[in-house]
């Protein structure tokens, strides 16, 4: 990774969610300031790494499921820094013609994405704020790649916690839904209090409040309405490790993941 002074447009004075998440996943695209904040996050919530890895594992299972039902276009909102098990790798293994539009606001995530994807067909990386759906949907990396007259899977995986107002989150999801035709899908994974105590949640929210992207934890009751307009595919909205697991899952792991996840079909 380049030294901070070599990267333009990168805020290296404040910790950043994409780089902290990368640190939790064992990546190297993070700076000292991110590692310090990530360790503070771990002190507040010791299960932070379990959360990040369970979330990423859910993303992989969801993409494989979508490929199995014939989806070949993905809009990955808040895609993060490319690491192990990226959406295009999973999707193109199932279908080499699958298309993936990555969108993230963070310059390091976008720079890494572009470097990794140079020469890969059917994949783009766009730097944009997902809270501005019109700009995202009209960006060349999205509009020129994805055909919205055919089904598209919108991936909102570990991104809606950054939209802290419930009404704004619902309006945002609705805006992307309106761009999609029936047969499209919405994938959500969202941080939620399971094993974590109330104090841990409050402290973890405080750590993120010091970054440019504060987060909110939501209960399943507050996550479910985000699927309005979609029919949840079985097994529904439930703790992330329990969504179509590849094998048996221990109860302790389910709770320590501290996340709910689901996939909705637009009818
Ligand atoms: C926790 S990571 C999740 C990465 C990936 N979706 C996953 O689940 O593995 C959240 C990502 O959302 C990005 N992000 C946060 N707010 C955003 C916004 N308003 N627009 C675009 N990206 C955003 C962050 O930069 C970060 O890369």
């Amino acid at each position: 990774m380049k030294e901070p002074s070599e990267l333009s447009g990168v805020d290296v004075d404040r910790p950043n969610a994409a780089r902290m998440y990368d640190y939790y996943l064992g990546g190297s695209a993070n700076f000292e300031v991110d590692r310090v904040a990530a360790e503070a996050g771990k002190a507040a919530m010791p299960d932070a790494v379990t959360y990040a890895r369970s979330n990423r594992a859910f993303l992989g299972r969801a993409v494989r499921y979508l490929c199995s039902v014939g989806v070949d276009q993905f809009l990955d909102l808040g895609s993060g820094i490319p690491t192990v098990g990226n959406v295009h790798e999973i999707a193109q293994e199932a279908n080499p013609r699958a298309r993936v539009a990555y969108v993230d606001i963070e310059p390091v995530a976008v720079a890494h994405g572009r470097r990794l994807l140079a020469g890969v067909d059917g994949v783009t990386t766009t730097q944009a704020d997902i809270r501005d759906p019109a700009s995202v949907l009209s960006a060349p990396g999205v509009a020129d790649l994805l055909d919205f007259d055919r089904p598209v899977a919108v991936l909102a995986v570990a991104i809606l916690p950054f939209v802290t107002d419930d009404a704004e989150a619902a309006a945002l999801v609705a805006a992307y839904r309106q761009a999609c035709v029936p047969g499209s899908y919405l994938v959500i994974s969202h941080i939620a209090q399971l094993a974590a105590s109330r104090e841990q949640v409050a402290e973890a929210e405080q750590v993120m409040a010091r970054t440019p992207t504060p987060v909110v934890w939501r209960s399943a009751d507050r996550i479910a309405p985000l699927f309005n307009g979609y029919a949840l595919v079985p097994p529904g909205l439930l703790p992330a490790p329990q969504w179509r697991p590849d094998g048996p899952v221990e109860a302790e792991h389910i709770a320590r993941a501290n996340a709910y996840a689901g996939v909705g079909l637009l009818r």
Side-chain angles (χ1 to χ4, degrees), residues 214-262:
V215 297
V216 66
W217 293 44
R218 288 190 174 93
S219 60
D221 285 359
R222 285 170 71 196
I223 299 167
L226 298 170
F227 281 104
N228 274 351
Y230 292 87
L232 280 170
V233 305
L237 175 66
L238 70 183
Q242 285 181 294
W243 197 89
R244 294 180 183 253
D246 293 327
V249 196
E250 287 173 18
E252 194 198 333
H253 176 70
I254 292 167
R256 290 180 53 202
N258 286 299
Y260 268 84

Side-chain angles (χ1 to χ4, degrees), residues 168-253:
E168 191 189 344
L172 185 61
V173 170
Y176 289 102
R177 184 184 70 228
Q178 279 153 15
C180 293
V181 294
S184 294
Y185 286 85
L186 172 67
V187 177
I188 293 178
S189 167
H190 200 299
I191 196 160
Q193 183 184 358
L194 290 168
S197 67
R198 267 193 214 185
E199 292 72 27
Q200 286 175 325
V201 173
E203 226 180 301
E205 285 181 344
Q206 273 169 28
V207 168
M208 292 309 293
R210 294 197 282 274
T211 73
T213 47
V215 297
V216 66
W217 293 44
R218 288 190 174 93
S219 60
D221 285 359
R222 285 170 71 196
I223 299 167
L226 298 170
F227 281 104
N228 274 351
Y230 292 87
L232 280 170
V233 305
L237 175 66
L238 70 183
Q242 285 181 294
W243 197 89
R244 294 180 183 253
D246 293 327
V249 196
E250 287 173 18
E252 194 198 333
H253 176 70

Side-chain angles (χ1 to χ4, degrees), residues 9 44 52 121 134 138 149 194 256 264:
D121 281 345
S138 63
D149 292 331
L194 290 168
R256 290 180 53 202

Side-chain angles (χ1 to χ4, degrees), residues 16-22 25 51-52 55-59 76-81 83-87 103-107 109 126-132 136 155-163 172 176 189 208 212-215:
N16 173 280
R19 301 182 321 235
M20 289 168 67
Y21 184 72
D22 174 71
L25 291 175
Y51 159 73
N55 176 69
R56 192 82 191 164
F58 160 73
L59 171 62
D76 190 354
L77 301 174
S79 46
I81 292 166
T83 176
V84 182
N86 291 302
V87 170
V103 179
D104 205 286
I105 200 168
E106 213 284 314
T126 298
Q127 184 169 7
D129 187 335
I130 64 128
R131 289 167 298 185
D132 184 354
V136 169
L155 310 180
V157 179
I159 177 71
L160 294 172
F162 296 98
V163 186
L172 185 61
Y176 289 102
S189 167
M208 292 309 293
T213 47
V215 297

Side-chain angles (χ1 to χ4, degrees), residues 83-167:
T83 176
V84 182
N86 291 302
V87 170
H88 75 281
E89 291 162 344
I90 297 167
Q92 291 191 340
E93 194 181 318
N95 176 356
R97 291 200 309 277
R99 295 173 169 211
V100 180
Y102 290 118
V103 179
D104 205 286
I105 200 168
E106 213 284 314
V108 170
V110 173
H112 269 257
R114 291 195 174 138
R115 198 173 318 148
L116 183 86
L117 298 172
V120 180
D121 281 345
V123 191
T124 60
T125 305
T126 298
Q127 184 169 7
D129 187 335
I130 64 128
R131 289 167 298 185
D132 184 354
S135 313
V136 169
L137 293 166
S138 63
V142 176
D144 296 350
L145 183 73
L146 304 181
D147 175 1
F148 280 87
D149 292 331
R150 295 199 303 112
V152 172
V154 174
L155 310 180
V157 179
I159 177 71
L160 294 172
F162 296 98
V163 186
T164 53
D165 180 77
D166 281 12

